Amino acid sequence: MTANTLPGHPHFEHRGSELFAEQVRLSDLAREHGTPLFVYSKASMLAALAAYQRGFAGRKARICYAMKANSSLGVLQVFAQAGCGFDIVSGGELERVLAAGGAGKDIIFSGVGKTRAEMRRALAVGVGCFNVESEAELEVLSEVAAAAGKVAPVSVRVNPDVDPKTHPYISTGLKGNKFGVAHDRTVATYQRAASLPGLKVVGIDCHIGSQITDEAPYLEAMDRIVDLVQAIEAVGIPIHHIDFGGGLGISYNGDQPPAADDLWRKLFARLDARGFGDRQFMIEPGRSLVGNAGACVTEVLYLKPGEGKNFCIVDAAMNDLPRPAMYQAFHAIVPANPRAEAPQTYDVVGPVCESGDWIGRDRVLAVKQGDLLAVMSAGAYSMSMASNYNTRGRAAEVLVDGGKAFLIRERETAADQMRAERLVS
Ligand code: LLP
């Protein structure tokens, strides 16, 4: 029997004609739970986390999982048990952290549009830090905190104006982006923050973008942040921690992002040279902790030969896997039970009534009706971005740990979807 690990997905491998996640056959999971089905490997998540932990060894650093990447409770539980904090962007995410066993102090609250109600709740549970994104937000947060008799710990998200060379929708640290405070307003913003009664300045943060596969923008952003910390401290405002934002990109299609441990060794070498290596650091990785830990298993419903194209119509769609439709993103698609027959070229598409509902274009596959395909790299920004478009219930999710498989989310029913709705009386 030959075993073939899928490149970039060390915990998914073909053994003979079966695709396994750790020690579990995907075809068994599909039979038991139906499709489309998200399958996550716990070992893969922990291995990705370990790479950051190695890079941080001997340093004062905290990893706060950016749960927007995948906010399912069973996934959060893995990271809570591994000692991670959480980067949240809404009151809903806050409640999920608490439900998964995380504590308020382990939370950093990011996002450009926090509401007063979200701020009140976050203060009540004692979040570790508010990552504030504008001067107007500072004023409101101070007011809300003072009214609650509390002092909000704050960090200001600064926009380092570095080009991360990623998709425009997911690059966030350039001048024209809606995120953060402009580089040249930073010191003035910190002075304002330090003067407000409801706030205590504790840190600085930035985030230059997502799915970054080159190390240069990180090194450049770190230099700029250190310059800013020096400027802020020069006016008498101490910065306790530096939060360097999201994590690295992952391999979707043979991309070769730097390894987290290598990159952080390089970043720390620079920081040491500038006398900043012993500061408290935080990072907020999402995609790189879960992306390649997940696959979406989907059944081939129909093969439809066409004049210009052959279509492979599967039961997963853009509501389950929105990244191709939204960002023209590539996800590898592999048969769960490879066949020896000659392959053909297909566009792999879902049942949703939109031409944008495609999952992969021009894929060379040997498949038959009823076969199972695995859409890889589906652990990040898939289920957390899934919708009910076409009144499609959200898929079920399974977390695999060695030879065990845990159903962490039941398939959503039509009744679940209609639960909050009312007919006009
Ligand atoms: N911290 C902040 C402030 C962020 O805005 C983000 C992602 C992260 C951390 C996590 O970044 P990561 O480590 O995952 O790269 N839906 C898009 C990605 C949007 C990312 C938005 N911000 C996609 O599917 O590619």
Side-chain angles (χ1 to χ4, degrees), residues 66 68-69 87 110 157 170 207 209-211 245-248 284-288 323 327 381 385:
K68 62 170 79 70
D87 171 53
S110 302
R157 175 167 174 180
I170 52 177
H207 174 71
S210 197
Q211 186 51 18
L248 288 147
E284 310 159 358
R287 188 192 313 268
S288 49
R323 302 190 68 257
Y327 318 111
Y381 302 114
M385 290 172 63

Short mmCIF file of all heavy atoms in Angstrom, two decimals, residues 66 68-69 87 110 157 170 207 209-211 245-248 284-288 323 327 381 385, ligand 1:
data_model
loop_
_atom_site.label_atom_id
_atom_site.label_comp_id
_atom_site.label_asym_id
_atom_site.label_seq_id
_atom_site.Cartn_x
_atom_site.Cartn_y
_atom_site.Cartn_z
N ALA A 66 -6.67 34.08 15.93
CA ALA A 66 -7.66 34.97 15.28
C ALA A 66 -8.84 34.11 14.85
O ALA A 66 -8.84 33.47 13.80
CB ALA A 66 -7.04 35.67 14.07
N LYS A 68 -11.69 34.52 13.70
CA LYS A 68 -12.49 34.74 12.49
C LYS A 68 -12.18 33.67 11.45
O LYS A 68 -13.00 33.38 10.60
CB LYS A 68 -12.26 36.14 11.93
CG LYS A 68 -10.83 36.40 11.50
CD LYS A 68 -10.68 37.70 10.74
CE LYS A 68 -10.64 38.92 11.63
NZ LYS A 68 -9.40 39.02 12.45
N ALA A 69 -10.98 33.08 11.53
CA ALA A 69 -10.60 32.06 10.55
C ALA A 69 -11.48 30.82 10.67
O ALA A 69 -11.84 30.20 9.66
CB ALA A 69 -9.12 31.68 10.72
N ASP A 87 -8.08 36.40 19.47
CA ASP A 87 -8.31 37.71 18.85
C ASP A 87 -9.73 37.68 18.32
O ASP A 87 -10.08 36.83 17.50
CB ASP A 87 -7.31 37.92 17.70
CG ASP A 87 -7.64 39.15 16.88
OD1 ASP A 87 -7.78 40.24 17.45
OD2 ASP A 87 -7.77 39.02 15.65
N SER A 110 -10.30 43.25 18.53
CA SER A 110 -9.93 44.05 17.35
C SER A 110 -11.19 44.47 16.60
O SER A 110 -12.29 44.01 16.92
CB SER A 110 -9.06 43.23 16.40
OG SER A 110 -7.90 42.76 17.03
N ARG A 157 -4.19 50.39 16.89
CA ARG A 157 -3.73 49.72 15.66
C ARG A 157 -3.19 50.77 14.72
O ARG A 157 -3.90 51.68 14.30
CB ARG A 157 -4.89 48.98 15.00
CG ARG A 157 -4.48 48.39 13.66
CD ARG A 157 -5.50 47.43 13.17
NE ARG A 157 -5.22 46.95 11.84
CZ ARG A 157 -5.98 46.08 11.20
NH1 ARG A 157 -7.08 45.62 11.79
NH2 ARG A 157 -5.69 45.69 9.99
N ILE A 170 -7.65 41.43 1.02
CA ILE A 170 -7.13 40.98 2.30
C ILE A 170 -5.79 41.63 2.64
O ILE A 170 -5.06 41.17 3.49
CB ILE A 170 -7.03 39.42 2.38
CG1 ILE A 170 -6.28 38.83 1.19
CG2 ILE A 170 -8.41 38.81 2.48
CD1 ILE A 170 -6.11 37.31 1.27
N HIS A 207 -1.49 45.17 11.62
CA HIS A 207 -1.82 43.96 10.86
C HIS A 207 -1.72 44.37 9.40
O HIS A 207 -2.43 45.26 8.96
CB HIS A 207 -3.24 43.48 11.18
CG HIS A 207 -3.68 42.33 10.32
ND1 HIS A 207 -3.16 41.07 10.46
CD2 HIS A 207 -4.57 42.27 9.31
CE1 HIS A 207 -3.72 40.27 9.57
NE2 HIS A 207 -4.58 40.97 8.85
N GLY A 209 -1.92 42.37 6.60
CA GLY A 209 -2.69 41.65 5.60
C GLY A 209 -2.66 40.17 5.87
O GLY A 209 -2.05 39.73 6.85
N SER A 210 -3.33 39.43 5.02
CA SER A 210 -3.47 38.00 5.23
C SER A 210 -2.94 37.26 4.01
O SER A 210 -2.82 37.85 2.92
CB SER A 210 -4.95 37.69 5.46
OG SER A 210 -5.14 36.44 6.05
N GLN A 211 -2.63 35.99 4.17
CA GLN A 211 -2.08 35.16 3.09
C GLN A 211 -0.84 35.82 2.49
O GLN A 211 -0.69 35.97 1.28
CB GLN A 211 -3.14 34.85 2.04
CG GLN A 211 -2.73 33.87 0.93
CD GLN A 211 -2.12 32.56 1.48
OE1 GLN A 211 -2.29 32.21 2.63
NE2 GLN A 211 -1.39 31.84 0.66
N GLY A 245 -0.04 41.39 14.91
CA GLY A 245 -1.15 41.09 13.99
C GLY A 245 -1.18 39.65 13.53
O GLY A 245 -0.69 38.75 14.22
N GLY A 246 -1.77 39.45 12.37
CA GLY A 246 -2.08 38.10 11.88
C GLY A 246 -0.85 37.29 11.52
O GLY A 246 0.29 37.78 11.57
N GLY A 247 -1.11 36.07 11.15
CA GLY A 247 -0.02 35.13 10.91
C GLY A 247 0.36 35.02 9.44
O GLY A 247 -0.01 35.86 8.62
N LEU A 248 1.08 33.96 9.17
CA LEU A 248 1.62 33.76 7.83
C LEU A 248 0.59 33.20 6.87
O LEU A 248 -0.45 32.68 7.28
CB LEU A 248 2.77 32.76 7.94
CG LEU A 248 3.99 33.37 8.60
CD1 LEU A 248 4.75 32.35 9.40
CD2 LEU A 248 4.87 33.98 7.52
N GLU A 284 -1.54 37.32 16.26
CA GLU A 284 -2.94 36.90 16.08
C GLU A 284 -3.08 36.06 14.83
O GLU A 284 -3.75 36.45 13.88
CB GLU A 284 -3.83 38.16 15.92
CG GLU A 284 -3.63 39.23 16.94
CD GLU A 284 -4.13 40.60 16.46
OE1 GLU A 284 -4.59 40.73 15.31
OE2 GLU A 284 -4.02 41.55 17.24
N PRO A 285 -2.47 34.90 14.79
CA PRO A 285 -2.59 34.09 13.57
C PRO A 285 -3.94 33.38 13.49
O PRO A 285 -4.48 32.93 14.50
CB PRO A 285 -1.46 33.06 13.69
CG PRO A 285 -1.16 32.98 15.15
CD PRO A 285 -1.67 34.21 15.82
N GLY A 286 -4.48 33.32 12.29
CA GLY A 286 -5.73 32.59 12.08
C GLY A 286 -5.50 31.50 11.05
O GLY A 286 -5.35 30.32 11.37
N ARG A 287 -5.42 31.93 9.78
CA ARG A 287 -5.32 30.99 8.67
C ARG A 287 -4.24 29.92 8.87
O ARG A 287 -4.49 28.74 8.63
CB ARG A 287 -5.00 31.79 7.40
CG ARG A 287 -5.04 30.98 6.13
CD ARG A 287 -4.41 31.77 4.97
NE ARG A 287 -4.88 33.12 4.88
CZ ARG A 287 -5.91 33.52 4.14
NH1 ARG A 287 -6.59 32.66 3.42
NH2 ARG A 287 -6.24 34.79 4.11
N SER A 288 -3.05 30.35 9.28
CA SER A 288 -1.94 29.40 9.34
C SER A 288 -2.12 28.36 10.43
O SER A 288 -1.45 27.33 10.42
CB SER A 288 -0.61 30.15 9.53
OG SER A 288 -0.75 31.08 10.59
N ARG A 323 -14.52 31.19 -0.68
CA ARG A 323 -13.28 31.85 -1.09
C ARG A 323 -13.06 31.89 -2.61
O ARG A 323 -12.61 32.92 -3.13
CB ARG A 323 -12.07 31.24 -0.38
CG ARG A 323 -12.17 31.30 1.15
CD ARG A 323 -10.88 30.93 1.85
NE ARG A 323 -9.87 31.93 1.62
CZ ARG A 323 -8.86 31.79 0.78
NH1 ARG A 323 -8.73 30.68 0.09
NH2 ARG A 323 -8.00 32.77 0.61
N TYR A 327 -12.66 35.61 -3.82
CA TYR A 327 -11.29 36.07 -4.09
C TYR A 327 -10.65 35.33 -5.25
O TYR A 327 -9.43 35.37 -5.39
CB TYR A 327 -10.39 35.84 -2.86
CG TYR A 327 -10.99 36.17 -1.52
CD1 TYR A 327 -11.30 35.16 -0.61
CD2 TYR A 327 -11.23 37.49 -1.15
CE1 TYR A 327 -11.83 35.46 0.63
CE2 TYR A 327 -11.76 37.79 0.09
CZ TYR A 327 -12.07 36.77 0.97
OH TYR A 327 -12.59 37.05 2.20
N TYR A 381 -11.46 30.31 7.04
CA TYR A 381 -12.31 31.20 6.25
C TYR A 381 -13.24 30.43 5.30
O TYR A 381 -13.48 30.85 4.18
CB TYR A 381 -11.45 32.21 5.47
CG TYR A 381 -10.57 33.05 6.37
CD1 TYR A 381 -9.18 32.95 6.36
CD2 TYR A 381 -11.13 33.93 7.29
CE1 TYR A 381 -8.38 33.71 7.20
CE2 TYR A 381 -10.34 34.69 8.14
CZ TYR A 381 -8.96 34.58 8.09
OH TYR A 381 -8.19 35.33 8.93
N MET A 385 -17.15 31.70 7.19
CA MET A 385 -17.74 32.62 6.22
C MET A 385 -18.94 32.00 5.51
O MET A 385 -19.49 32.59 4.58
CB MET A 385 -16.68 33.02 5.18
CG MET A 385 -15.60 33.92 5.75
SD MET A 385 -14.25 34.21 4.59
CE MET A 385 -15.06 35.06 3.27
N1 LLP B 1 -5.66 40.11 13.09
C1 LLP B 1 -6.38 41.01 12.41
C2 LLP B 1 -6.56 42.36 12.95
C3 LLP B 1 -6.97 40.64 11.17
O1 LLP B 1 -7.66 41.54 10.50
C4 LLP B 1 -6.79 39.34 10.68
C5 LLP B 1 -7.40 38.92 9.41
C6 LLP B 1 -6.03 38.42 11.44
C7 LLP B 1 -5.48 38.85 12.64
C8 LLP B 1 -5.81 37.01 11.01
O2 LLP B 1 -5.03 36.95 9.86
P1 LLP B 1 -4.50 35.54 9.31
O3 LLP B 1 -3.49 35.02 10.31
O4 LLP B 1 -5.65 34.63 9.21
O5 LLP B 1 -3.88 35.85 8.02
N2 LLP B 1 -11.47 35.99 4.44
C9 LLP B 1 -10.14 36.20 3.89
C10 LLP B 1 -9.15 36.59 4.96
C11 LLP B 1 -9.50 37.85 5.71
C12 LLP B 1 -8.50 38.20 6.78
C13 LLP B 1 -8.93 39.38 7.56
N3 LLP B 1 -8.12 39.68 8.70
C14 LLP B 1 -9.72 34.94 3.14
O6 LLP B 1 -10.49 33.98 3.11
O7 LLP B 1 -8.64 34.89 2.57
#
